[in-house]
Amino acid sequence: MARNEEKAMSLLNKWVTMKSEFAKGGGPQRRPYLATECDDLRQAERWRLDVIKEVSKGIGEIQNAGLGEHRIRDLNDQINKLLREKFHWQKRIRELGGPDYNAIEPRSFDADGRELPGGGGYKYFGAAKELPGVRELFQAEAPQRPRRTRAQIYKTITPDYYGYRDEDDEDLLRKEALAEKEAIEEADAQHQRLKRQRREIREKNGENPDDTEDSDEGEDDAAAMAAAAHSNFGEAMARASAASSTVAKAHVPVPSQDEVKQAILDHRKQQLLQQLGVA
């Protein structure tokens, strides 16, 4: 019952308002489509305030993200249309001798104090800023890392890059010696394994495994000589490195000419002995 009374009072108030306007010689007026059609400064001010009220109502409504994408886009378009209309009314007010609102009007900011995103006079309000494609459109791109020139790259290269000072690193030398020892042990174990396999094959074929014992011993002697030579060479390098640490450090150890000749002679002699089958 109370609801019906409220409706009746609302209708009565509207009727009284219309009656008073008609008594003044006015009546309900529609906002002109073009601002240039208005020649009264007071009426132009009135229509400007009317547009501002519609803009405020639209901005309050567009804050609801549950309206849906299409409704939000329509509201955002409508608000931008009203803002353009407000600009024209403010321009018309300036032409009629009123204040220049376009010059004194501050820029538009959101609730967080950030300027509203947009370009070309089109702004995004409320939930419209979170629409698909809008966030990516105005998101700042990450700065690209500047590429270095070849000269800048070469400035940071030191002799360590080419391995010139590897012999000065005691930790590296210790690891190399350990790896070298493991490699020699592995090679010796493989040699002994192959030797046992050959002897087993000869026994299966009915051959006397002692017939090639001399050749096996020669191979053992050759392997022992190679290991000893390698060990002597490593000791010579260590002594040279220790001696050079006090005077001058050599980056690349170079054997003497006599050592090279002797190594070549021993290698050829070993090849001839293997070809002739002589221990």
Side-chain angles (χ1 to χ4, degrees), residues 119-130:
Y122 193 90
K123 302 292 184 181
Y124 292 91
F125 300 88
K129 294 183 292 185
E130 305 297 331

Side-chain angles (χ1 to χ4, degrees), residues 49-88:
L49 293 176
D50 188 51
V51 172
I52 291 176
K53 290 179 182 178
E54 294 184 13
V55 170
S56 300
K57 181 180 177 181
I59 292 177
E61 187 177 355
I62 203 174
Q63 303 300 325
N64 185 7
L67 295 175
E69 180 180 350
H70 298 290
R71 177 59 179 162
I72 292 175
R73 290 187 185 275
D74 292 341
L75 274 174
N76 199 76
D77 293 340
Q78 184 179 358
I79 293 172
N80 280 273
K81 182 179 178 181
L82 290 171
L83 288 176
R84 289 193 298 269
E85 187 175 354
K86 180 171 73 76
F87 172 81
H88 291 301

Side-chain angles (χ1 to χ4, degrees), residues 133-166:
V134 177
R135 182 193 294 261
E136 294 80 5
L137 184 62
F138 300 105
Q139 189 174 6
E141 297 182 358
Q144 296 183 354
R145 184 178 180 182
R147 297 185 59 183
R148 295 191 301 170
T149 61
R150 188 181 297 271
Q152 293 175 343
I153 295 175
Y154 284 160
K155 281 183 179 179
T156 59
I157 293 179
T158 61
D160 295 335
Y161 176 80
Y162 299 100
Y164 287 157
R165 293 190 291 214
D166 290 347

Side-chain angles (χ1 to χ4, degrees), residues 76-129:
N76 199 76
D77 293 340
Q78 184 179 358
I79 293 172
N80 280 273
K81 182 179 178 181
L82 290 171
L83 288 176
R84 289 193 298 269
E85 187 175 354
K86 180 171 73 76
F87 172 81
H88 291 301
W89 279 112
Q90 292 176 166
K91 182 179 179 182
R92 183 58 178 167
I93 291 172
R94 180 69 181 88
E95 293 173 354
L96 294 175
D100 189 1
Y101 291 106
N102 291 327
I104 63 178
E105 188 175 32
R107 293 183 297 178
S108 301
F109 296 91
D110 59 7
D112 299 330
R114 296 172 298 185
E115 189 172 1
L116 292 175
Y122 193 90
K123 302 292 184 181
Y124 292 91
F125 300 88
K129 294 183 292 185

